[in-house]
Amino acid sequence: MAETTQQGSGNVADRNLALELVRVTEAAAIAGGHWVGAGDKNSADGAAVDAMRSFLSTVDFNGTVVIGEGEKDEAPMLFNGEQVGSGAGPASDVAVDPIDGTRLTALGMNNALAVIAVADGGSMFDPSAVFYMDKLVVGPEAADMVDLRLPVKQNIHLVAKAKGVKPNQVTVCVLDRPRHQKLVDEIRATGARTRMILDGDVAGAIAACREGTGVDIMMGIGGTPEGIVTACAVKATGGVIQGRLAPTDEAERQKAEDAGLDVDRILTTDELVTSDNCFFAATGITDGDLLRGVRYRGRTITTQSIVMRSRSGTVRMVEAEHLAKKWEKYERLHG
């Protein structure tokens, strides 16, 4: 199943790395999945972090976490600057989210994922100045047509034209936030449909690039780190993500300007991640548009994952069955 290892290219080139990363997200999903519906997002995240960190230590690469998780909601975290992997090979940027959708996991709602992305060292955009970004994500059919600077109506009509459908057959994924009310009104005014999601815009964005998900576009303001993770994934699909930094106040705007960033600039997929050799892996924790969630079935645990490599344009769906007794240390213990 794994492809031959490419040697001596001086970058993150081992094709087998993609399948090793799936093992990492499977572990995080299995550990975090025990907390689905338990109402405790920090414990869920803590379990997923522990499992992800443990499995990352077995992967043969030289990674530095440049996009960690947990700072926003004071959860456990794989911290920025943490060294992961065995240390072998050239330097790699790593973006992790052991649970993209901790609240979704805690509430037992759809679209929670365990996620990791890896690219050549120094190639991921630094999101530290501004945490939020206005995003537009579409699949390959409309990749060369849309523009975040255009009116919402025009982008929807362009996607409809590219896909050979009517605007009222287009579905737009949007985070359910008060800040998006105007956006939602504009989408619905075109006749297009909205698919509102509580959290987890990485899943929504990738769904917009994949056939058969029922999602055609992802729009709206979400996390900048999630946008960079998404960029690693969409490179393998031929889709695009466009982003524009969205400071929440003047202090954050000034911070961005002090860092030399133009908050009005449209950031392209290749600016969010400059490398053409990106790896992305995700495993479903709860059911969603993109993946099926973890299933615990007595002696076995089943997972569904997606793994992508941008250089080859390869997207794999991975169905796995795990012997439950091998994962007992990650089970949630009741008092």
Side-chain angles (χ1 to χ4, degrees):
M1 183 176 179
E3 301 171 50
T4 304
T5 302
Q6 180 179 328
Q7 300 288 351
S9 63
N11 58 17
V12 183
D14 187 349
R15 300 173 188 175
N16 294 303
L17 178 60
L19 298 179
E20 287 296 300
L21 293 176
V22 172
R23 295 175 56 246
V24 173
T25 57
E26 286 172 347
I30 290 170
H34 284 295
W35 292 88
V36 169
D40 185 348
K41 68 178 186 178
N42 282 353
S43 291
D45 203 36
V49 167
D50 288 345
M52 180 171 276
R53 179 179 279 120
S54 175
F55 273 71
L56 272 171
S57 69
T58 71
V59 179
D60 198 18
F61 79 123
N62 180 15
T64 300
V65 176
V66 297
I67 299 174
E69 58 84 51
E71 293 139 315
K72 185 171 65 169
D73 57 5
E74 299 180 353
M77 59 188 293
L78 276 149
F79 58 87
N80 291 350
E82 183 170 348
Q83 300 298 303
V84 294
S86 69
S92 310
D93 284 356
V94 182
V96 296
D97 201 342
I99 300 182
D100 180 41
T102 53
R103 181 165 55 149
L104 301 177
T105 301
L107 297 176
M109 300 181 73
N110 286 359
N111 281 324
L113 302 174
V115 172
I116 188 168
V118 176
D120 295 331
S123 64
M124 291 185 183
F125 180 82
D126 181 358
S128 59
V130 180
F131 195 84
Y132 289 100
M133 171 186 289
D134 194 9
K135 306 172 195 174
L136 171 64
V137 183
V138 298
E141 301 92 343
D144 296 328
M145 300 175 71
V146 297
D147 192 318
L148 187 56
R149 293 164 292 193
L150 295 175
V152 170
K153 178 179 179 180
Q154 190 170 349
N155 277 320
I156 289 173
H157 279 265
L158 287 169
V159 171
K161 181 178 179 181
K163 292 198 164 193
V165 299
K166 297 176 181 178
N168 63 8
Q169 295 172 304
V170 171
T171 299
V172 185
C173 183
V174 182
L175 277 170
D176 189 3
R177 300 287 188 274
R179 64 176 177 262
H180 287 150
Q181 188 56 57
K182 182 175 182 291
L183 171 62
V184 169
D185 291 343
E186 291 179 5
I187 293 168
R188 291 173 178 167
T190 70
R193 298 170 291 190
T194 55
R195 181 168 298 181
M196 308 303 295
I197 58 173
L198 186 63
D199 288 303
D201 70 346
V202 171
I206 298 171
C209 296
R210 299 275 293 155
E211 290 290 336
T213 63
V215 175
D216 302 293
I217 315 173
M218 202 278 289
M219 289 182 173
I221 295 173
T224 304
E226 288 85 350
I228 297 159
V229 171
T230 297
C232 289
V234 302
K235 281 194 171 198
T237 69
V240 296
I241 176 172
Q242 296 179 8
R244 180 170 49 212
L245 297 175
T248 56
D249 53 33
E250 282 305 314
E252 195 173 40
R253 177 179 288 271
Q254 187 61 52
K255 183 180 177 183
E257 291 175 356
D258 292 344
L261 300 175
D262 180 356
V263 296
D264 297 316
R265 178 187 176 91
I266 301 299
L267 297 166
T268 66
T269 309
D270 288 334
E271 288 171 318
L272 292 171
V273 182
T274 59
S275 172
D276 67 348
N277 192 34
C278 305
F279 297 84
F280 172 89
T283 300
I285 297 174
T286 60
D287 291 347
D289 297 320
L290 189 65
L291 294 167
R292 188 181 65 244
V294 182
R295 299 285 192 272
Y296 302 91
R297 293 170 171 159
R299 291 183 297 175
T300 61
I301 302 169
T302 60
T303 56
Q304 186 180 52
S305 305
I306 189 168
V307 57
M308 307 180 183
R309 187 185 186 215
S310 64
R311 175 163 290 174
S312 60
T314 302
V315 178
R316 289 184 174 90
M317 301 299 294
V318 179
E319 304 269 352
E321 184 175 290
H322 314 264
L323 194 60
K325 68 181 182 180
K326 301 291 186 180
W327 295 85
E328 288 176 350
K329 70 176 180 177
Y330 294 111
E331 288 182 5
R332 176 163 62 99
L333 299 178
H334 299 274

